[in-house]
Amino acid sequence: MSETEQIPEAVAAVLEALNNTDSNGTEQALNATAKFVASPEGTALAYGSLVFMALLPIYFGALRSVTCSKSKNASDMPETITSRDAARFPIIASCTLFGLYLFFKVFSQEYINMLLSIYFFGLGVLALSHIMSPLMSRIFPASFPNKQFQLLFTQGSEEAKEEIVNYEFDTKNLLCLIISSVVGVWYLLKKHWIANNLFGLAFALNGVELLHLNNVSTGCILLGGLFVYDVFWVFGTNVMVTVAKSFEAPIKLVFPQDLLERGLDASNFAMLGLGDIVIPGIFIALLLRFDVSLKKQSKTYFYSSFLAYIFGLGLTIFVMHTFKHAQPALLYLVPACIGFPCLVALVKGELTELFSYEETVPEDTEAKEDDETEKKDQ
């Protein structure tokens, strides 16, 4: 992908939305009653569950990103983030965040969240279907009558005919879509925290799998820029916390601290923004692909960054719990996720190889870029 190409609008919109709440990290009880005091057991269960849920999309998303990078299927091809995209993203995210803040101040919060719920319902159904599809292929036997379908929309006629949508799917994909739609309706009607988490995990896993950094330097630029973004909007203003409290969408993982007392109807939540999962996650996935490129049996850089993420997230929770204040999780995650692998590379004498690693862009993507450039020139 060329340096001048922008991140596709849909991908950028989702990433911006993820980052609108990521700085709250594990801020607890945003929508809980002030009188309730969580028990130590309930708090430990909530924090432990958040950490576990955060690790799932990073681990499995990174593994799937290796397969995704080799895919020749257009629908499974990753979106590559370049250094220019990475440098520009914190500015775009800041503008989007402040825009949402103004929207919530001027317009009715109820109507804004209704529109956002419908938008994320569609995205959530597709994201959940995408991660369920490989599982369905393993569950159903080879003898299962799996029919092929194609959804095709074109415009024009004869030689001037142009494809707008060309989507191929089968019976298993259709079943995944139905199950995901049921979860989506459950979320729309009840806003239940379990339905929220199912969509949130799907968003995070797809993000880690399909968003690829082209090299380690780009990852450092992206994480460094969002480090500053996170710290400024949390400690410098009340914008981030205000938007997080107002924004009702499955872009954060939540777990009740009063689950032991109130069961599934619990309402005192600890939360973790998806940006705190996806942003470090795509960097960790890049390091796994670097490990694979070395053609060694070990996955040193992947595991070192994965452990660094656990350390950084644990430190975030500790500081937040100690000072009883929302923490920008990237303040702790970025130094850990960049520092640990670089230290390992320095010890192993592979620092040059680490920063010189460059991912190749799939041929189909290059052809698409050339076509878009020609259209612009015309």
Side-chain angles (χ1 to χ4, degrees):
M1 182 174 289
S2 64
E3 289 288 318
T4 58
E5 183 183 357
Q6 297 182 358
I7 301 175
E9 293 182 2
V11 177
V14 173
L15 262 179
E16 289 158 16
L18 299 182
N19 274 282
N20 287 338
T21 56
D22 68 357
S23 65
N24 289 285
T26 51
E27 183 187 358
Q28 56 179 330
L30 285 180
N31 59 343
T33 55
K35 296 181 181 179
F36 180 82
V37 178
S39 64
E41 295 82 3
T43 301
L45 177 62
Y47 290 154
S49 299
L50 284 177
V51 172
F52 177 73
M53 286 192 292
L55 297 179
L56 288 177
I58 292 179
Y59 185 83
F60 291 105
L63 293 177
R64 287 170 61 124
S65 76
V66 176
T67 305
C68 177
S69 63
K70 301 174 183 178
S71 175
K72 296 185 181 298
N73 188 346
S75 62
D76 294 331
M77 281 187 180
E79 298 292 346
T80 304
I81 301 174
T82 65
S83 57
R84 184 170 181 174
D85 297 327
R88 184 170 46 220
F89 184 74
I91 300 173
I92 298 173
S94 295
C95 293
T96 304
L97 175 65
F98 190 66
L100 282 171
Y101 175 78
L102 295 178
F103 263 96
F104 281 117
K105 289 293 184 182
V106 175
F107 300 103
S108 171
Q109 179 178 326
E110 180 183 353
Y111 293 116
I112 295 174
N113 280 319
M114 181 178 67
L115 292 174
L116 289 173
S117 295
I118 296 172
Y119 174 68
F120 280 98
F121 164 79
L123 289 180
V125 168
L126 294 176
L128 195 57
S129 297
H130 183 259
I131 65 172
M132 286 177 60
S133 184
L135 182 62
M136 286 295 179
S137 299
R138 294 180 181 179
I139 292 176
F140 287 98
S143 58
F144 180 78
N146 193 31
K147 296 182 179 180
Q148 301 294 320
F149 303 93
Q150 183 178 24
L151 185 63
L152 179 63
F153 285 98
T154 62
Q155 67 177 9
S157 58
E158 303 301 333
E159 296 180 357
K161 185 179 291 186
E162 182 181 355
E163 288 186 3
I164 299 176
V165 176
N166 187 359
Y167 182 66
E168 297 180 359
F169 59 99
D170 54 29
T171 307
K172 295 175 183 177
N173 298 138
L174 194 58
L175 183 59
C176 292
L177 193 63
I178 293 172
I179 296 173
S180 301
S181 298
V182 171
V183 175
V185 172
W186 181 27
Y187 172 77
L188 278 180
L189 296 179
K190 299 295 184 180
K191 291 293 193 298
H192 199 277
W193 60 273
I194 295 178
N196 174 90
N197 287 348
L198 288 174
F199 272 176
L201 288 170
F203 284 139
L205 198 151
N206 278 282
V208 175
E209 176 189 357
L210 298 173
L211 294 175
H212 287 198
L213 297 163
N214 63 349
N215 55 50
V216 173
S217 297
T218 298
C220 292
I221 293 171
L222 179 65
L223 267 66
L226 290 175
F227 172 90
V228 176
Y229 159 91
D230 222 7
V231 172
F232 172 77
W233 288 111
V234 173
F235 289 146
T237 70
N238 70 334
V239 172
M240 183 75 80
V241 175
T242 301
V243 171
K245 289 180 178 180
S246 307
F247 203 89
E248 293 182 7
I251 57 172
K252 54 183 176 286
L253 299 180
V254 297
F255 199 90
Q257 299 183 76
D258 53 345
L259 180 68
L260 299 178
E261 292 82 7
R262 299 177 180 174
L264 295 179
D265 294 326
S267 58
N268 184 18
F269 294 108
M271 67 168 64
L272 179 67
L274 295 192
D276 295 329
I277 301 172
V278 175
I279 300 303
I282 59 178
F283 185 75
I284 294 171
L286 172 67
L287 295 179
L288 175 60
R289 296 193 297 275
F290 173 66
D291 278 324
V292 173
S293 73
L294 294 177
K295 297 180 180 179
K296 296 179 181 179
Q297 295 298 323
S298 63
K299 298 177 181 176
T300 307
Y301 295 99
F302 170 66
Y303 287 125
S304 64
S305 58
F306 193 73
L307 291 174
Y309 180 85
I310 298 174
F311 170 78
L313 189 56
L315 184 59
T316 304
I317 293 173
F318 173 77
V319 174
M320 185 280 302
H321 188 68
T322 301
F323 293 98
K324 308 297 181 184
H325 189 275
Q327 295 295 313
L330 294 182
L331 174 65
Y332 310 97
L333 292 172
V334 169
C337 290
I338 293 178
F340 278 43
C342 287
L343 183 61
V344 170
L346 189 63
V347 171
K348 297 183 67 176
E350 295 177 343
L351 194 61
T352 303
E353 290 86 342
L354 178 64
F355 278 89
S356 61
Y357 172 67
E358 188 85 20
E359 290 210 328
T360 56
V361 181
E363 293 180 3
D364 290 351
T365 305
E366 291 178 343
K368 182 180 178 182
E369 292 172 3
D370 293 338
D371 292 340
E372 291 177 351
T373 303
E374 289 177 5
K375 288 181 181 179
K376 289 179 181 178
D377 293 340
Q378 292 174 357

